[in-house]
Amino acid sequence: LVGGETAEMPGMYEGEDYDLAGFCVGVVEKSGIIDGSSVRIGDALVGIGSSGPHSNGYSLIRKIIDHSGQALDSEFGDSTLGETLLAPTRIYVKPVLNIIKQFQVNALAHITGGGLLENIPRVLPRNTRAVIDSDSWQRPAIFDWLQEQGNVEAREMYRTFNCGIGMVMAVSAEQADSIVDMLHQHGETAMVIGRIEAGDDDADRVVISDL
């Protein structure tokens, strides 16, 4: 096996239950690989909005639901709590591929399990850090509800959930606004959420303004 994962889902698999997972393998020209090596100090970070928790953090979510005592069919915004929590994961393949065809993308970080704090460092070169302004996007209400009902610390929120940002792109500052505009044309919510600065590898690789 050259890829795939075994998901950790306590409370879902018990006894003789098992996880059957699938994956696909792709091929890319070596010259087209985006591995973060082109990231430079001064690059802008473009965030693409998520549709919800994106299938990550649900062990904690279930504990929060139990603790809150709130019914899944209770009203939440224009929907119900259960439907909001189970909103389908937004897939960014098509818009991101279109961006790559027209612009230089230096790094891509899919914000899955581990949130912003653990996924962005995977694509950062040595001695750099990502500085993120948490006021640059509107965090979906479901994350506020989870934090309040579960009494979850801010750092744990950013380490467990995407908190409203499902993908982060490192691009040149000069092209950032054009990339955001193109993402809007593709129906995505996107914005510049931060920048790449010089940093110490032994310090925090991701600095978020409200932490």
Side-chain angles (χ1 to χ4, degrees):
L1 298 179
V2 295
E5 65 175 328
T6 298
E8 296 179 20
M9 292 193 281
M12 293 293 289
Y13 298 137
E14 298 178 359
E16 297 183 357
D17 294 345
Y18 63 91
D19 175 26
L20 181 63
F23 65 91
C24 61
V25 179
V27 164
V28 61
E29 293 292 340
K30 189 173 183 179
S31 60
I33 293 175
I34 300 174
D35 58 5
S37 60
S38 298
V39 171
R40 297 291 181 265
I41 294 170
D43 278 358
L45 296 173
V46 173
I48 311 179
S50 68
S51 54
H54 282 194
S55 303
N56 291 113
Y58 278 83
S59 295
L60 178 56
I61 288 174
R62 290 198 303 275
K63 290 181 180 178
I64 293 173
I65 292 171
D66 290 341
H67 180 265
S68 72
Q70 190 161 337
L72 291 174
D73 60 359
S74 60
E75 290 186 7
F76 193 90
D78 297 329
S79 186
T80 66
L81 177 61
E83 289 172 341
T84 301
L85 287 168
L86 293 177
T89 298
R90 196 158 186 85
I91 305 299
Y92 305 107
V93 174
K94 290 182 179 180
V96 169
L97 284 176
N98 282 317
I99 293 293
I100 292 171
K101 290 176 182 177
Q102 299 188 42
F103 299 95
Q104 172 69 32
V105 175
N106 296 330
L108 287 165
H110 192 199
I111 310 305
T112 56
L116 292 163
L117 295 179
E118 294 184 4
N119 285 289
I120 294 177
R122 297 175 181 175
V123 298
L124 293 181
R126 290 178 56 83
N127 298 315
T128 61
R129 66 177 184 171
V131 178
I132 294 174
D133 179 6
S134 61
D135 291 329
S136 59
W137 75 94
Q138 180 65 47
R139 189 165 79 161
I142 190 60
F143 295 108
D144 294 331
W145 183 88
L146 289 167
Q147 183 170 14
E148 179 181 344
Q149 295 297 319
N151 193 28
V152 183
E153 293 182 353
R155 180 167 292 276
E156 184 65 14
M157 288 293 297
Y158 285 117
R159 193 189 69 81
T160 303
F161 302 112
N162 64 61
C163 291
I165 299 295
M167 179 76 77
V168 175
M169 313 172 74
V171 301
S172 71
E174 293 77 14
Q175 294 185 332
D177 288 341
S178 297
I179 289 172
V180 168
D181 289 342
M182 187 171 180
L183 287 167
H184 290 168
Q185 293 171 21
H186 283 283
E188 301 294 341
T189 301
M191 66 294 294
V192 175
I193 65 170
R195 62 194 180 280
I196 300 295
E197 294 185 353
D200 185 341
D201 289 347
D202 294 325
D204 289 339
R205 304 299 305 280
V206 178
V207 178
I208 302 178
S209 59
D210 60 353
L211 292 182

